[in-house]
Amino acid sequence: MKKTFWLITLLTSLLMAGSTLTVNAQTYPPKHTPELEFALQRKVTLGEAFSIDNTQHGRRTVIPITGGTFEGPGLKGTIINGGADYQLANDKGRTELEAIYCIKTDDGVYIHVRNRGIIANGKDASGKPKFYFKAAPQFEAPAESKYGWLNDALFVCEPEWTQEFKGIVLNVWRVK
Amino acid sequence: MKKTFWLITLLTSLLMAGSTLTVNAQTYPPKHTPELEFALQRKVTLGEAFSIDNTQHGRRTVIPITGGTFEGPGLKGTIINGGADYQLANDKGRTELEAIYCIKTDDGVYIHVRNRGIIANGKDASGKPKFYFKAAPQFEAPAESKYGWLNDALFVCEPEWTQEFKGIVLNVWRVK
Amino acid sequence: MKKTFWLITLLTSLLMAGSTLTVNAQTYPPKHTPELEFALQRKVTLGEAFSIDNTQHGRRTVIPITGGTFEGPGLKGTIINGGADYQLANDKGRTELEAIYCIKTDDGVYIHVRNRGIIANGKDASGKPKFYFKAAPQFEAPAESKYGWLNDALFVCEPEWTQEFKGIVLNVWRVK
Amino acid sequence: MKKTFWLITLLTSLLMAGSTLTVNAQTYPPKHTPELEFALQRKVTLGEAFSIDNTQHGRRTVIPITGGTFEGPGLKGTIINGGADYQLANDKGRTELEAIYCIKTDDGVYIHVRNRGIIANGKDASGKPKFYFKAAPQFEAPAESKYGWLNDALFVCEPEWTQEFKGIVLNVWRVK
């Protein structure tokens, strides 16, 4: 157990990493906005859902994840049958989703996924009704594999609607 | 308990919300990328950190959150003394942060914050060392207040480095 | 938003509930130990497991939950195919389990289960090797149903080894 | 990534540990009930609480943990100022508590604690109102320290009411 000043630790790890750090004199409003870089698209097939109404946490809906495919720059494969999206809806129509499942790359690597997010009917700035569905998938890949970069970044995803595919299409971006 | 097809439920809720839904014939690669909209900046003051080495989950570091301010379009206030960032580092230098604290707007509304994220020393596409620090704050505000929109969206944040402020400056964007 | 003294709130809720509260003059060591009351036994059938070695969190093993039965005083039914136990093992052989699945009572009520626990090879007081496998299941039942009491208590469980059943037998007790 | 039958892995780890395993021919009802072994008592002092009503998850109440002491067979020390209990109450009066804080033994070892539980006004078998307050603390101690056993077991706790101490007294038992 050591006592340390965290910022010193942080700056040391920055220097060790040889990173260039931009230090700003003025901070508000921020001049830099993070970019979103397309990472992968998942096409997920779903089984028949069932719900448990009025639990202590709201309405719990279980949507089986039965299969599908994924594809992105440098990765491609299938979605393993056997996961599920465990959604929780409160009585205002707001839903929290938590999809838990695994994918398998076409070179045989398994990757675990937990995708937590929000489905809400909100309004935009002009007061117009707006459907909102965003989630933040977290990946667990073998750290030393070519997919290890999935472990070390934040991701966001949103659905895409298509007539071409019976299921749900989710596009995932890496926060750069 | 009712059995329902989830996509039908979803589409019904879309129609009830009066949302316009764009359905695409072709999906890969995606044509649309979500935008990040600046939401707020937090300037957080930190107390003296301490660490517990070699727990069953890695090295646990506790960084007290002692105060500070926040500001964004339509919201402004102070950070409540008494929270903390509970970080967990594995033996590869990868850290997961979980900052848990509350803020108070200048019109007297308390908002609870859980900010989970990743601090990692990675490499960019060209192999150059790159420091990565991103997190996804979740807010709990009174749903009927003017800050209720914070409950119903996904956010991402990253630090900004400044000489002006002794603490950590975090900029937060809403995923639009 | 209201400021309250929590203990006053707690004592008020006690009085509202008409509970009799024993207040002790001396507290250490405690004179009362909670009792464990048998709640149910689950017999779970398992599919073929697969593991992802060396993720950022350790070794992730996914063990499909394919079915089974449960029985206890006042409840009886089947385990729904489609859940899984998502285990995480560190390099010392310590495992955290998180089984996520649903059960269905013989009168048609679905109940969601999250069972988190520990599998560890430890030692007892005399230094003899001792296998330890305990978990704490959390239930989500319809609050107004006859199974609503499952939502409002803490439970512990441990496995039982039998030649009679090919799968895992877990006994669950309510902390009284 | 390896495919394994989980039960085989489990049995192998049992044999490696040299454990004696009792295999029963008949399993229902279980003949063995786990015992609860007193582990420690915590006397926690609390600051002034504040609540955020009507969030998306219910009413959030923050109760600062300002200090205190703990004592049990083989361990003794103080509770670190700066933690909090983050409680969530639904509109039925059911509360989930999540106390997050650290303790320090009198020989200088820090231990992190997350204590999740339930406060509910239920009824006992005879229909009499009954206050229920139980939680399951999880500890993170240095694995190689004399407190490492806290990492590798399940614990349950309940409050004890005393006039002697202004705060909350919690007794903790190890599930044996």
Side-chain angles (χ1 to χ4, degrees):
Chain A
M1 206 291 309
K2 293 173 216 160
K3 288 207 179 186
T4 54
F5 283 96
W6 177 75
L7 282 177
I8 291 171
T9 312
L10 187 58
L11 292 173
T12 308
S13 81
L14 285 169
L15 293 176
M16 282 169 59
S19 298
T20 312
L21 192 66
T22 311
V23 176
N24 302 314
Q26 188 197 327
T27 60
Y28 187 87
K31 293 198 186 65
H32 172 258
T33 299
E35 282 168 60
L36 298 181
E37 178 179 49
F38 175 63
L40 68 154
Q41 180 177 88
R42 294 173 294 183
K43 293 181 164 184
V44 186
T45 58
L46 303 170
E48 197 178 345
F50 58 91
S51 294
I52 308 169
D53 284 331
N54 194 28
T55 79
Q56 69 270 41
H57 298 128
R59 177 187 167 106
R60 175 71 73 182
T61 299
V62 180
I63 308 163
I65 291 175
T66 56
T69 57
F70 67 93
E71 180 177 359
L75 75 173
K76 196 173 177 173
T78 54
I79 292 162
I80 306 289
N81 176 34
D85 182 3
Y86 297 94
Q87 299 193 344
L88 208 45
N90 70 12
D91 52 14
K92 308 282 166 50
R94 182 186 181 277
T95 293
E96 294 185 357
L97 65 102
E98 184 179 13
I100 305 176
Y101 59 103
C102 293
I103 61 178
K104 188 181 179 181
T105 64
D106 55 8
D107 56 345
V109 177
Y110 284 82
I111 299 168
H112 183 52
V113 188
R114 295 226 174 182
N115 191 20
R116 294 188 183 87
I118 295 169
I119 305 173
N121 286 316
K123 287 179 183 180
D124 66 13
S126 65
K128 197 178 136 190
K130 195 163 163 51
F131 178 69
Y132 189 89
F133 182 151
K134 310 280 176 200
Q138 297 179 310
F139 298 94
E140 285 181 356
E144 310 302 335
S145 76
K146 59 183 278 205
Y147 307 107
W149 60 275
L150 288 164
N151 300 352
D152 293 330
L154 207 73
F155 295 86
V156 298
C157 84
E158 67 174 22
E160 177 164 353
W161 311 103
T162 174
Q163 293 174 316
E164 174 203 7
F165 176 72
K166 297 204 184 314
I168 187 160
V169 179
L170 289 158
N171 294 318
V172 181
W173 292 267
R174 182 177 178 274
V175 184
K176 247 180 118 172
Chain B
M1 208 290 310
K2 292 173 214 161
K3 289 208 180 185
T4 54
F5 283 96
W6 177 75
L7 282 177
I8 292 171
T9 312
L10 186 58
L11 292 173
T12 309
S13 82
L14 285 169
L15 293 176
M16 282 169 59
S19 299
T20 313
L21 191 67
T22 311
V23 176
N24 302 313
Q26 187 198 329
T27 60
Y28 187 88
K31 293 198 186 65
H32 171 258
T33 299
E35 282 168 62
L36 299 182
E37 179 178 48
F38 175 63
L40 69 152
Q41 180 177 88
R42 294 174 294 183
K43 292 181 164 184
V44 185
T45 58
L46 303 171
E48 196 178 346
F50 58 91
S51 295
I52 309 168
D53 283 330
N54 194 27
T55 79
Q56 70 271 40
H57 297 128
R59 177 187 167 108
R60 175 70 72 181
T61 300
V62 181
I63 307 163
I65 291 175
T66 56
T69 57
F70 67 92
E71 180 177 0
L75 75 173
K76 196 173 178 175
T78 54
I79 292 161
I80 306 290
N81 177 34
D85 182 4
Y86 297 94
Q87 299 193 345
L88 207 45
N90 70 11
D91 52 15
K92 308 281 168 50
R94 183 186 181 277
T95 293
E96 294 186 355
L97 64 103
E98 184 179 13
I100 306 177
Y101 59 103
C102 293
I103 62 178
K104 188 182 180 180
T105 65
D106 54 8
D107 56 345
V109 177
Y110 284 82
I111 299 168
H112 183 52
V113 188
R114 295 226 173 182
N115 191 21
R116 292 187 184 89
I118 294 169
I119 305 174
N121 286 315
K123 288 181 184 178
D124 67 14
S126 65
K128 196 178 136 188
K130 198 165 160 50
F131 178 68
Y132 189 89
F133 182 151
K134 310 280 175 199
Q138 296 179 311
F139 298 94
E140 285 180 357
E144 310 302 335
S145 76
K146 59 184 279 206
Y147 307 106
W149 60 274
L150 287 165
N151 301 352
D152 293 330
L154 206 73
F155 295 86
V156 298
C157 83
E158 66 174 20
E160 177 165 354
W161 311 103
T162 175
Q163 293 174 315
E164 176 204 4
F165 176 71
K166 297 202 184 315
I168 187 161
V169 179
L170 289 158
N171 294 317
V172 181
W173 292 265
R174 181 177 179 273
V175 184
K176 246 180 118 172
Chain C
M1 208 291 309
K2 293 173 214 163
K3 287 207 181 186
T4 55
F5 283 95
W6 177 75
L7 283 178
I8 292 171
T9 311
L10 186 58
L11 291 173
T12 310
S13 82
L14 285 169
L15 293 175
M16 283 168 59
S19 298
T20 313
L21 192 66
T22 312
V23 176
N24 302 313
Q26 186 198 329
T27 60
Y28 187 86
K31 293 196 187 66
H32 171 258
T33 299
E35 282 168 61
L36 298 181
E37 178 179 50
F38 175 62
L40 69 153
Q41 180 177 87
R42 295 173 294 182
K43 293 180 164 184
V44 186
T45 59
L46 303 170
E48 195 178 347
F50 59 91
S51 294
I52 309 169
D53 284 330
N54 195 26
T55 79
Q56 70 271 41
H57 298 127
R59 177 187 167 106
R60 174 72 73 182
T61 298
V62 181
I63 307 164
I65 291 174
T66 56
T69 58
F70 67 93
E71 179 176 359
L75 75 173
K76 196 173 177 174
T78 54
I79 292 162
I80 306 289
N81 176 34
D85 182 3
Y86 297 95
Q87 299 193 346
L88 207 46
N90 70 10
D91 51 15
K92 308 281 166 50
R94 183 185 181 277
T95 293
E96 294 186 355
L97 63 102
E98 184 179 13
I100 305 176
Y101 59 102
C102 293
I103 62 178
K104 188 181 179 180
T105 64
D106 54 8
D107 55 346
V109 177
Y110 285 83
I111 299 168
H112 183 51
V113 188
R114 295 225 173 183
N115 191 20
R116 293 187 183 90
I118 294 169
I119 304 173
N121 286 315
K123 288 179 183 179
D124 66 13
S126 65
K128 196 178 136 189
K130 197 164 160 48
F131 178 68
Y132 189 89
F133 182 150
K134 310 281 177 199
Q138 296 179 311
F139 298 94
E140 285 180 357
E144 311 302 335
S145 76
K146 60 184 277 206
Y147 307 105
W149 60 276
L150 287 165
N151 300 353
D152 293 330
L154 206 73
F155 295 86
V156 299
C157 83
E158 66 174 21
E160 177 165 353
W161 311 103
T162 174
Q163 294 174 315
E164 175 204 5
F165 176 71
K166 298 203 183 312
I168 187 161
V169 179
L170 289 157
N171 295 318
V172 181
W173 293 265
R174 181 177 179 274
V175 184
K176 246 181 119 173
Chain D
M1 206 291 309
K2 292 173 214 161
K3 288 207 179 186
T4 54
F5 283 99
W6 177 75
L7 283 178
I8 292 171
T9 311
L10 186 57
L11 291 174
T12 308
S13 81
L14 285 169
L15 293 176
M16 282 168 58
S19 299
T20 313
L21 192 67
T22 312
V23 176
N24 303 312
Q26 187 198 328
T27 60
Y28 186 87
K31 293 196 187 65
H32 172 258
T33 299
E35 282 168 61
L36 298 182
E37 178 179 49
F38 175 62
L40 68 154
Q41 181 178 86
R42 294 173 293 182
K43 293 181 164 185
V44 185
T45 59
L46 303 171
E48 195 178 347
F50 58 90
S51 293
I52 309 169
D53 283 331
N54 194 26
T55 80
Q56 70 271 39
H57 298 128
R59 176 187 168 106
R60 175 71 73 180
T61 299
V62 181
I63 307 163
I65 291 175
T66 56
T69 57
F70 67 93
E71 180 177 359
L75 76 172
K76 195 173 178 173
T78 55
I79 292 162
I80 306 289
N81 176 34
D85 182 3
Y86 296 94
Q87 298 193 345
L88 207 45
N90 70 11
D91 52 15
K92 308 282 166 50
R94 183 186 181 276
T95 293
E96 294 185 356
L97 64 102
E98 184 180 12
I100 305 176
Y101 59 102
C102 293
I103 62 178
K104 187 181 179 180
T105 64
D106 54 9
D107 55 345
V109 177
Y110 285 82
I111 299 168
H112 183 52
V113 187
R114 295 225 173 182
N115 191 20
R116 294 187 183 89
I118 294 169
I119 305 173
N121 286 315
K123 287 178 184 182
D124 67 14
S126 65
K128 197 178 137 188
K130 198 165 160 47
F131 178 69
Y132 189 89
F133 181 150
K134 310 279 177 201
Q138 296 179 312
F139 298 94
E140 285 180 357
E144 310 302 334
S145 75
K146 59 184 277 205
Y147 307 105
W149 61 275
L150 288 165
N151 300 352
D152 293 331
L154 207 73
F155 296 86
V156 299
C157 83
E158 67 174 20
E160 177 165 351
W161 311 104
T162 175
Q163 293 174 316
E164 176 204 4
F165 176 71
K166 298 203 182 314
I168 187 160
V169 179
L170 289 158
N171 294 317
V172 182
W173 292 265
R174 181 176 179 274
V175 184
K176 246 179 119 174

